Amino acid sequence: MITFKYYITTPLYYVNAKAHIGHAYTNIATDVLARWHRLKGEDVFFLTGTDEHGKKVETSAEKAKKDPQKFVDEISKKFKDVWKTLNISYGSFIRTTDSKHKKAVYEVLRRMQDRGDIYKGVYEGWYCTPCESYWTETQLKEDKCPSCGRSVEKLKEESYFFKLSKYQKPLLELYKNNPGFISPEHRKQEIINRVKEGLRDLSITRTSFDWGIKYPGDDKHIVYVWVDALTNYISALGFPDSNNYKKYWPADVHILGKEISWFHAVIWPAMLLSIGEKPPKKLFIHGWLTIDGKKMSKSVGNVIDPVEMSKKYSSDSLRYFLLREIPFGHDGDFSEKTLKEKINNELVADLGNLVNRTLTMTEKFKGKLEGKDELSKEFNLKKIEGFIDNYEFHHALDEIWNFIRAANRYINDKEPWKLEGKELANVLYNLLESLRIISILVSSFMPDTSIKMNKQLGVKTGSLKDCKFGKLSGKPKKGDLLFQKIKT
Ligand code: ME8
């Protein structure tokens, strides 16, 4: 049997502050995909990590009165702790301060130089430190950074340049020949339109700060943080000649937020074309979360801590909510009020209730649990798979919930409390088989819940091929309620 590989990545988060709900959103969505592909039996490489160089991190370390390396060590560890709380099943965590990463960056630069794609010049422009980006006068929006809206400062420095302009045509060809390269469609159009307007060569070194990878052969230059960070997607695999690199590259998908689409859709593939490596197969660009309708920011004081949320409501509830509430690829709003409503109306009333009712009746029943399939028509695995393959998590969950609701209706219709013997066995068999399958279907979204369900059902962890009737085994035993009703 051929085992397919699946290489999926998240962005590398800046370590200037701790992880917030926006970072959690990306990692949860990526985790769902990684887990889903494991359920399909694929060989998954799931990469996340931290972006640890640049002026922004250097300034944050200074403010904290810490040595930059010590500072990044601490924050990077905190990111790992958050991912543990949220059950993020990454297989590899790359830090841009890792020595294998630095080696890969040198190799990338060497190849770009060999190609004749790097030259020395002078850069003058408007610099946005939070975004670590230079902008031209015309790109500014009301004299502010067009990406984040914050103040910019004028800088002039000697710099090495990458001949990005040379790659305008090859990039447009890449987009044309690979229609699925950038999703969603409207994001792809934005990129194509901007690339058609023309590309300027990219300044790839800085001299205004120290904290970063030194440019080979010219120590006062530090490698631009984006050239450094983007290389993570191959350095983590051991680029250039490791077995992992050969096996997993090109990435099947990079998941990222909309504000960094330019770096991933233009600069990254141009770098790869320059060094003679394949571009990733796909970029999926998701939208931004607002908090109760407002932009999340430290100054407004509305930054949501995902760990606090998951301690309050469980990590599974948070995971479920984020993917059920917001169509992936669109902007969306995080509201604690809606989170509580979803927990009560969907997790407690539908799924929790179905498990509780079924296990309560099963515990009282002493006969053999057997019957004939009356419920499998209520779910369509192909449809669910199709939605997930299209990154439509909310539709996949809708479909799974239709099945859960159908099973609850089945109890109401059959009135098993009035039945006994074979008739009762048949109803219980159908419910237990449905729950076993539901547990598999929700496992990527809510891994803890699935484990708890399997324990109560007395079954082993299943995979997608077990999503059919006729596999019930083990001894069910009622446990604690899966979800607690929240006071609103
Ligand atoms: O940009 N809503 O790092 P970063 C949704 N180091 N997602 C959000 C979000 C929000 N409000 N805020 C952040 C960087 N994100 C670079 C990346 S990659 C080689 C280098 C998520 O710490 C989203 O995924 O600013 C966004 O793209 C990412 O965090 C930015 O994280």
Side-chain angles (χ1 to χ4, degrees):
M1 201 179 81
I2 305 169
T3 307
F4 290 102
K5 70 90 185 171
Y6 184 72
Y7 178 30
I8 184 166
T9 68
T10 73
L12 288 205
Y13 304 110
Y14 287 129
V15 287
N16 58 312
K18 59 183 197 171
H20 58 57
I21 194 86
H23 304 124
Y25 180 54
T26 313
N27 273 34
I28 290 169
T30 310
D31 187 55
V32 169
L33 288 164
R35 286 177 186 268
W36 185 262
H37 281 263
R38 283 188 207 114
L39 275 185
K40 292 213 261 191
E42 294 178 10
D43 174 0
V44 173
F45 193 100
F46 171 9
L47 176 71
T48 190
T50 40
D51 189 352
E52 307 189 356
H53 290 134
K55 191 173 177 188
K56 183 152 81 168
V57 174
E58 188 182 72
T59 311
S60 301
E62 271 165 20
K63 272 195 198 146
K65 297 195 172 57
K66 285 192 175 142
D67 160 67
Q69 187 62 52
K70 189 165 177 283
F71 179 76
V72 298
D73 286 349
E74 281 172 14
I75 306 227
S76 184
K77 156 113 189 13
K78 282 188 187 158
F79 268 85
K80 282 189 179 167
D81 293 342
V82 175
W83 304 148
K84 195 162 179 224
T85 305
L86 297 179
N87 251 320
I88 305 299
S89 62
Y90 61 84
S92 183
F93 191 100
I94 182 84
R95 302 178 54 188
T96 53
T97 50
D98 288 345
S99 62
K100 78 167 175 194
H101 174 74
K102 282 186 198 170
K103 264 199 232 149
V105 172
Y106 288 144
E107 175 65 11
V108 167
L109 292 169
R110 191 190 63 74
R111 289 202 195 173
M112 283 160 95
Q113 261 164 0
D114 286 356
R115 245 310 147 96
D117 281 350
I118 293 183
Y119 63 92
K120 203 172 185 179
V122 173
Y123 197 85
E124 203 176 342
W126 295 93
Y127 196 66
C128 172
T129 305
C131 293
E132 302 279 12
S133 295
Y134 263 117
W135 304 102
T136 61
E137 189 89 37
T138 47
Q139 282 175 321
L140 298 182
K141 270 196 196 141
E142 293 164 7
D143 295 337
K144 303 270 192 236
C145 168
S147 176
C148 73
R150 280 175 275 209
S151 300
V152 288
E153 55 179 327
K154 188 139 198 190
L155 290 182
K156 183 176 176 182
E157 52 183 334
E158 186 187 78
S159 171
Y160 287 90
F161 285 83
F162 167 50
K163 289 186 185 166
L164 184 61
S165 55
K166 178 176 151 186
Y167 290 95
Q168 182 191 23
K169 249 192 162 170
L171 284 171
L172 290 171
E173 262 162 39
L174 169 74
Y175 308 144
K176 195 168 153 209
N177 297 336
N178 302 277
F181 180 60
I182 306 171
S183 283
E185 196 57 31
H186 66 280
R187 297 268 168 234
K188 176 169 118 186
Q189 277 318 317
E190 265 171 30
I191 297 284
I192 293 179
N193 293 344
R194 271 181 75 188
V195 173
K196 277 187 179 159
E197 283 169 16
L199 293 174
R200 297 161 62 96
D201 290 347
L202 179 74
S203 157
I204 56 159
T205 60
R206 302 283 182 263
T207 50
S208 50
F209 61 89
D210 277 335
W211 181 240
I213 299 179
K214 293 198 185 332
Y215 191 76
D218 199 347
D219 264 16
K220 74 175 197 307
H221 287 263
I222 300 293
V223 177
Y224 176 40
V225 72
W226 272 101
V227 169
D228 172 349
L230 287 164
T231 303
N232 91 86
Y233 299 128
I234 55 176
S235 71
L237 295 177
F239 169 78
D241 39 32
S242 74
N243 285 337
N244 263 356
Y245 184 68
K246 284 179 200 130
K247 180 170 171 192
Y248 292 108
W249 190 257
D252 292 82
V253 61
H254 293 317
I255 306 286
L256 51 130
K258 63 181 183 180
E259 84 295 359
I260 54 176
S261 58
W262 181 257
F263 302 100
H264 285 80
V266 179
I267 297 173
W268 179 225
M271 283 169 62
L272 289 162
L273 289 171
S274 170
I275 66 171
E277 297 293 327
K278 285 188 187 141
K281 290 189 199 159
K282 183 176 193 71
L283 312 173
F284 191 93
I285 301 167
H286 68 70
W288 262 43
L289 297 185
T290 49
I291 311 300
D292 296 318
K294 291 195 198 78
K295 193 173 168 182
M296 186 166 42
S297 94
K298 267 195 197 159
S299 50
V300 179
N302 63 350
V303 177
I304 300 279
D305 177 352
V307 172
E308 216 176 274
M309 278 299 141
S310 62
K311 283 200 177 130
K312 217 162 152 186
Y313 302 108
S314 89
S315 120
D316 274 6
S317 302
L318 182 67
R319 291 171 63 107
Y320 172 79
F321 172 71
L322 287 171
L323 295 184
R324 178 76 197 249
E325 178 67 4
I326 305 153
F328 202 53
H330 295 256
D331 290 337
D333 193 47
F334 178 88
S335 129
E336 208 172 328
K337 185 170 171 279
T338 324
L339 167 63
K340 287 186 208 167
E341 283 165 10
K342 288 265 168 202
I343 294 174
N344 287 343
N345 300 340
E346 293 168 17
L347 295 180
V348 176
D350 295 330
L351 179 56
N353 195 22
L354 178 64
V355 172
N356 189 41
R357 289 164 98 188
T358 305
L359 270 296
T360 306
M361 291 187 288
T362 307
E363 213 163 49
K364 285 192 213 138
F365 183 70
K366 298 285 171 256
K368 196 160 184 235
L369 290 165
E370 58 188 6
K372 86 176 194 318
D373 171 12
E374 292 171 343
L375 271 175
S376 73
K377 62 179 187 306
E378 301 292 348
F379 82 100
N380 181 338
L381 184 59
K382 281 273 156 291
K383 213 167 159 189
I384 298 168
E385 280 195 88
F387 285 136
I388 297 187
D389 287 346
N390 264 335
Y391 305 85
E392 295 173 56
F393 302 117
H394 64 302
H395 283 143
L397 284 167
D398 261 351
E399 222 23 61
I400 299 170
W401 245 252
N402 286 340
F403 184 25
I404 295 171
R405 288 180 179 144
N408 269 322
R409 267 198 316 275
Y410 177 79
I411 301 184
N412 300 348
D413 293 347
K414 293 281 177 187
E415 302 183 311
W417 47 92
K418 292 184 182 163
L419 303 176
E420 53 187 35
K422 280 204 162 142
E423 276 184 333
L424 177 56
N426 182 53
V427 172
L428 294 177
Y429 167 82
N430 271 282
L431 292 170
L432 291 165
E433 276 294 61
S434 298
L435 281 176
R436 184 181 57 74
I437 294 167
I438 289 164
S439 169
I440 299 170
L441 295 175
V442 299
S443 65
S444 309
F445 298 91
M446 299 190 286
D448 283 342
T449 301
S450 173
I451 291 170
K452 284 186 201 160
M453 285 175 72
N454 291 346
K455 207 168 158 211
Q456 296 203 28
L457 295 167
V459 298
K460 288 204 200 90
T461 311
S463 68
L464 279 197
K465 63 178 177 6
D466 302 313
C467 285
K468 51 179 175 245
F469 266 57
K471 298 199 144 211
L472 191 66
S473 61
K475 217 174 156 357
K477 188 168 181 354
K478 196 171 169 246
D480 294 338
L481 292 178
L482 288 187
F483 303 99
Q484 298 293 337
K485 202 167 162 62
I486 313 278
K487 281 204 186 97
T488 50

